[in-house]
Amino acid sequence: MNQIRIGAFISERRKAKGWTQSQLAEKLGITDKAVSKWETGRSMPDLSLFMPLCTLLGVTLNELFAGECIAEEKLKEKADDVLMDVITNWLGHDKWELKEGDTTPRHVLDVENVSKLYKTEHDSVLAVNDISFQIPHGSFVGIMGASGSGKTTLLNLIATIDSPTNGTIRLNGKNIADIPEEAAAEFRRRHLGFVFQEYNLLETLTIYENIALALTIKAVSKESIHPMIQRLAEKLDISAILDKFPYEVSGGQRQRCACARAIVVNPDIILADEPTGALDSHAARQLLDTFAMLCKEYHATILMVTHDVMAASYCDRILFMKDGEIKAALNREQENKHTFFADILKKIEWIEGESHDVLEIVNP
Ligand code: ADP
Ligand code: MG
């Protein structure tokens, strides 16, 4: 993958559309500086911007990666070359071998015909529309979808922060609708782990205290808390910052602390909403490696919402949401995990393509 070539291609296509750098930046909701950096090959667009950028410039993803328009007949061959290059550059080493002994997976989460209708004074929004899926123990599942597709709503329903209009959600066989409201907070602390984009840690406590706090809820004795935290901190590479306050460490370190706090109570499931959203790509990869490690070594079950293809490519399975519905799902096949990234891109392109068709019909 040649960053300079891609930059020149973006520049050429932008000019062909008759747009200034500022105009393109505005359409993408980013700064002029970012566009200027891409075009001079100093940086690459964020992965989440690839699809909107391609749509605006009227090129395919493969063409963008190749840095040139590709003739139809050469498309497949070229696409595979380029995407393989992308994958090896971004994904790093193997982390996703299937877990041993997990031949008959038990479902940690069972979502059955769940809908959520938000009613406001003037209109109503069906944010989640008749969704059903299951998550087996020890898996790392991603939910992808454009902004407004209902991802956060779905996560909040599972997190017992909000309740569905219809349908049933079972966590380890227990219908969460049966939990009395006054017991909901306690239930969340005991059974769920959270890693959100921000606001993960209490700012007035040190990192150590933040993690320890989670453990005291489980009535773990003082003597065993210390070695537990030390061991986990070593695994997550945060030993050196345990005595610091959250505002004294980097975003990536904060997120790994949030992971430590989430996993330390051995929750049924860890819910993560755009956990890499505020991180640079190095810190994001480190966090995703941490999630993958938690699955592999601690048999954690993780449900992560993301709109970033790189982040999603760490998952075992991906559900694609659009307009409140799950439109497609993808499993990482053990034998061809290197094509997973490419498969995700293709799936997104397919789902996006579907919407273009609809737009054309509505707006001929
Ligand atoms: P995502 O996380 O995929 O961006 P959300 O779940 O936040 O999507 O939102 C899905 C839809 O539901 C959007 O149309 C949003 O405006 C609407 N929505 C979300 N929360 C509320 C709410 N509390 N009241 C009314 N509408 C809401
Ligand atoms: Mg959201």
Side-chain angles (χ1 to χ4, degrees):
M1 191 175 47
N2 185 326
Q3 205 161 302
I4 292 173
R5 188 172 179 154
I6 293 173
F9 184 58
I10 294 172
S11 171
E12 176 202 311
R13 299 298 304 180
R14 171 182 61 75
K15 286 175 190 155
K17 292 275 179 189
W19 298 328
T20 62
Q21 287 185 343
S22 311
Q23 284 168 324
L24 178 60
E26 198 186 324
K27 287 176 203 296
L28 289 165
I30 55 168
T31 63
D32 302 6
K33 213 165 149 191
V35 173
S36 156
K37 275 183 157 180
W38 303 343
E39 292 194 356
T40 47
R42 280 175 296 157
S43 80
M44 280 286 287
D46 187 274
L47 284 171
S48 63
L49 289 175
F50 279 157
M51 276 313 302
L53 182 61
C54 285
T55 308
L56 282 170
L57 298 179
V59 299
T60 67
L61 272 171
N62 295 318
E63 287 175 323
L64 181 68
F65 287 141
E68 62 177 316
C69 292
I70 304 167
E72 200 67 44
E73 61 275 12
K74 276 170 58 193
L75 191 74
K76 178 87 186 69
E77 191 188 356
K78 191 110 192 171
D80 288 349
D81 276 2
V82 174
L83 284 175
M84 191 50 82
D85 198 6
V86 171
I87 292 158
T88 34
N89 268 309
W90 271 325
L91 296 194
H93 41 253
D94 298 353
K95 277 278 178 191
W96 310 285
E97 301 306 329
L98 280 186
K99 288 137 220 113
E100 283 167 39
D102 261 3
T103 43
T104 49
R106 156 174 82 81
H107 291 150
V108 168
L109 183 71
D110 194 342
V111 174
E112 207 181 309
N113 303 113
V114 164
S115 299
K116 178 68 188 184
L117 182 71
Y118 284 119
K119 276 197 184 132
T120 53
E121 219 177 299
H122 303 292
D123 61 347
S124 54
V125 180
L126 194 54
V128 169
N129 185 4
D130 196 23
I131 280 185
S132 298
F133 65 94
Q134 289 141 351
I135 298 188
H137 180 70
S139 58
F140 185 7
V141 176
I143 296 183
M144 292 196 82
S147 176
S149 57
K151 306 180 299 293
T152 296
T153 303
L154 178 62
L155 216 66
N156 286 345
L157 296 177
I158 296 166
T160 72
I161 290 166
D162 207 344
S163 49
T165 316
N166 278 308
T168 315
I169 299 169
R170 286 192 191 82
L171 195 67
N172 265 334
K174 186 177 174 57
N175 186 344
I176 60 173
D178 295 340
I179 302 162
E181 211 175 309
E182 60 275 16
E186 177 70 8
F187 176 84
R188 284 197 287 274
R189 281 195 293 263
R190 283 182 178 272
H191 297 276
L192 306 172
F194 294 97
V195 183
F196 289 160
Q197 188 170 328
E198 46 204 331
Y199 312 119
N200 274 310
L201 302 168
L202 298 173
E203 295 290 328
T204 50
L205 300 181
T206 64
I207 301 292
Y208 183 92
E209 289 162 344
N210 263 284
I211 303 170
L213 183 70
L215 275 173
T216 56
I217 289 155
K218 287 245 162 167
V220 177
S221 73
K222 248 193 177 139
E223 300 75 63
S224 43
I225 283 182
H226 191 70
M228 270 172 96
I229 294 180
Q230 293 293 342
R231 244 196 336 266
L232 192 60
E234 225 162 89
K235 271 265 175 223
L236 300 188
D237 195 19
I238 51 171
S239 302
I241 55 159
L242 284 176
D243 292 329
K244 292 195 189 271
F245 288 92
Y247 60 83
E248 295 178 302
V249 307
S250 72
Q253 287 169 326
R254 266 204 299 275
Q255 289 301 61
R256 292 206 303 286
C257 296
C259 283
R261 202 195 46 183
I263 193 71
V264 80
V265 295
N266 191 22
D268 296 338
I269 192 166
I270 293 178
L271 301 172
D273 194 356
E274 304 276 4
T276 59
L279 302 182
D280 62 57
S281 66
H282 173 74
R285 265 194 296 268
Q286 239 183 330
L287 179 67
L288 293 159
D289 277 333
T290 302
F291 278 140
M293 185 278 291
L294 292 178
C295 276
K296 198 169 176 180
E297 295 182 27
Y298 293 78
H299 299 285
T301 308
I302 301 174
L303 178 61
M304 174 179 75
V305 161
T306 183
H307 60 256
D308 180 347
V309 184
M310 190 275 287
S313 64
Y314 280 67
C315 297
D316 305 320
R317 176 174 170 79
I318 297 175
L319 307 172
F320 296 87
M321 272 187 90
K322 190 178 166 185
D323 304 330
E325 294 178 53
I326 293 177
K327 295 284 185 188
L330 260 187
N331 286 325
R332 175 198 299 287
E333 303 296 339
Q334 194 177 11
E335 62 278 12
N336 66 354
K337 61 177 179 284
H338 288 299
T339 58
F340 198 45
F341 186 94
D343 288 345
I344 298 169
L345 291 175
K346 277 185 201 146
K347 199 59 113 184
I348 293 172
E349 211 168 29
W350 176 76
I351 293 169
E352 294 286 322
E354 219 188 13
S355 80
H356 295 156
D357 291 343
V358 174
L359 273 181
E360 273 161 24
I361 294 162
V362 176
N363 237 341

